[in-house]
């Protein structure tokens, strides 16, 4: 199966938005419900897309299995949105935030039976679907034009699988999925630079128990060398 260039699909959508804006003085930017995994990953994505979309960030990450870690990451997401809006007031579309419940039991349920799956494999795909499904549901309920996620910016996330899931959910819920591979155009590199600029907390694991355990095992092995 040939891989799809999702960046080119996103470029086409953005080009159409620019053209429509130039030809219609009453044009309003399409609304985007953007699932965000964390402030650092959202930094580049919000900077990139807020020129073209009216974005509301949905911080839904039930994979984060520690209460303190969840609260820390959520607070950092809200702080970044605040300082970003202040910096680009009147220049970019303001970014909004939609709150939702923290549901770690939902993640543990989809991970059931996949506890020993490799990181980046089937368990992670179930996690992608869990978070994207919530985004699609909220986007449908609130009348957004698009839904999408920041997850593809990570070099550890499977952009092909993320977009396939997004398209399946778009068909199920009747709301458009925004195709993307935010690693393109040096997105990941820029997110690291922006994290330094804004002093963002960057975690070194995705948030779930399994990725944390894998990180601890790897760190211990490196120290024992």
């Amino acid at each position: 199966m040939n891989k799809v260039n999702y960046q080119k699909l996103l470029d086409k959508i953005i080009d159409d938005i620019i053209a429509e804006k130039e030809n219609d003085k009453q044009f309003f930017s399409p609304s985007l419900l953007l699932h965000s995994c964390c402030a650092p990953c959202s930094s580049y994505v919000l900077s990139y897309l807020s020129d073209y979309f009216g974005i509301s960030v949905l911080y839904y990450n039930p994979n984060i299995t520690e209460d303190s870690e969840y609260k820390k990451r959520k607070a950092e997401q809200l702080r970044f949105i605040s300082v970003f809006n202040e910096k680009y007031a009147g220049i970019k579309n303001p970014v909004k935030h939609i709150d939702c419940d923290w549901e770690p039991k939902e993640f543990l349920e989809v991970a059931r039976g996949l506890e020993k799956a490799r990181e980046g494999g089937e368990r992670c795909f179930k996690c992608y679907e869990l978070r994207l499904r919530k985004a699609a549901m909220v986007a449908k309920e609130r009348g957004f034009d698009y839904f999408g996620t920041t997850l593809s910016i990570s070099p550890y996330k499977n952009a092909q699988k993320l977009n396939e899931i997004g398209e399946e959910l778009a068909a199920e819920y009747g709301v458009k999925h925004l195709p993307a591979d935010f690693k393109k155009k040096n997105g990941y590199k820029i997110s690291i630079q922006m994290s330094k600029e804004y002093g963002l907390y960057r975690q070194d694991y995705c948030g779930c128990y399994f990725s944390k355990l894998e990180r601890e095992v790897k760190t211990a092995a490196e120290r024992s060398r």
Side-chain angles (χ1 to χ4, degrees):
M1 180 178 179
N2 292 328
K3 287 189 175 182
V4 177
N5 188 324
Y6 291 102
Q7 180 60 50
K8 285 189 175 180
L9 295 181
L10 177 57
D11 287 341
K12 177 62 168 59
I13 292 171
I14 289 175
D15 286 344
D16 289 344
I17 291 171
I18 292 172
E20 189 173 352
K21 187 174 182 179
E22 290 175 347
N23 295 323
D24 184 0
K25 293 182 179 180
Q26 302 299 317
F27 176 80
F28 287 95
S29 297
S31 56
L32 167 64
L33 191 286
L34 181 69
H35 162 263
S36 175
C37 53
C38 62
C41 288
S42 75
S43 60
Y44 165 74
V45 179
L46 292 178
S47 179
Y48 174 29
L49 295 183
S50 59
D51 286 325
Y52 315 108
F53 297 89
I55 303 174
S56 292
V57 168
L58 182 73
Y59 187 78
Y60 178 70
N61 296 292
N63 57 305
I64 301 175
T65 48
E66 293 183 5
D67 178 73
S68 60
E69 183 70 16
Y70 177 84
K71 289 177 178 176
K72 185 174 184 178
R73 296 191 194 191
K74 181 177 180 179
E76 195 71 337
Q77 178 70 77
L78 294 175
R79 182 179 75 83
F80 174 71
I81 291 173
S82 178
V83 296
F84 180 83
N85 282 339
E86 183 177 352
K87 180 176 181 178
Y88 292 104
I91 301 172
K92 294 176 179 287
N93 290 319
V95 177
K96 299 177 182 179
H97 170 256
I98 294 178
D99 204 3
C100 61
D101 293 333
W102 176 44
E103 301 174 327
K105 290 182 180 179
E106 296 295 325
F107 168 73
L108 294 175
E109 184 60 34
V110 300
R112 190 184 304 277
L114 297 168
E115 292 85 353
K116 295 184 179 180
R118 66 177 180 84
E119 191 68 12
E122 191 62 32
R123 185 181 63 244
C124 293
F125 297 164
K126 291 289 186 181
C127 184
Y128 296 171
E129 182 180 356
L130 176 64
R131 291 187 274 179
L132 275 166
R133 181 174 293 279
K134 173 68 80 170
M137 288 173 62
V138 174
K140 178 66 174 180
E141 290 169 0
R142 302 201 179 199
F144 280 84
D145 297 311
Y146 290 90
F147 75 95
T149 180
T150 63
L151 284 168
S152 68
I153 198 170
S154 170
Y156 303 105
K157 299 293 188 291
N158 187 322
Q160 184 78 22
K161 191 66 177 180
L162 281 164
N163 281 280
E164 288 174 1
I165 292 170
E167 290 302 314
E168 290 171 1
L169 292 170
E172 181 177 343
Y173 287 93
V175 59
K176 290 182 286 188
H177 169 253
L178 189 72
D181 185 351
F182 293 119
K183 290 185 289 294
K184 305 292 186 181
K185 295 188 175 182
N186 291 316
Y188 181 65
K189 180 179 179 180
I190 295 171
S191 75
I192 293 175
Q193 295 169 344
M194 290 185 69
S195 294
K196 292 178 181 178
E197 176 187 349
Y198 288 91
L200 299 178
Y201 164 59
R202 288 186 67 88
Q203 60 284 345
D204 58 1
Y205 69 106
C206 87
C208 78
Y209 165 80
F210 308 103
S211 63
K212 183 179 182 182
L213 180 62
E214 182 176 280
R215 181 204 63 179
E216 291 172 347
V217 170
K218 183 178 180 181
T219 300
E222 290 173 348
R223 288 175 178 172
S224 65
R225 290 175 183 173

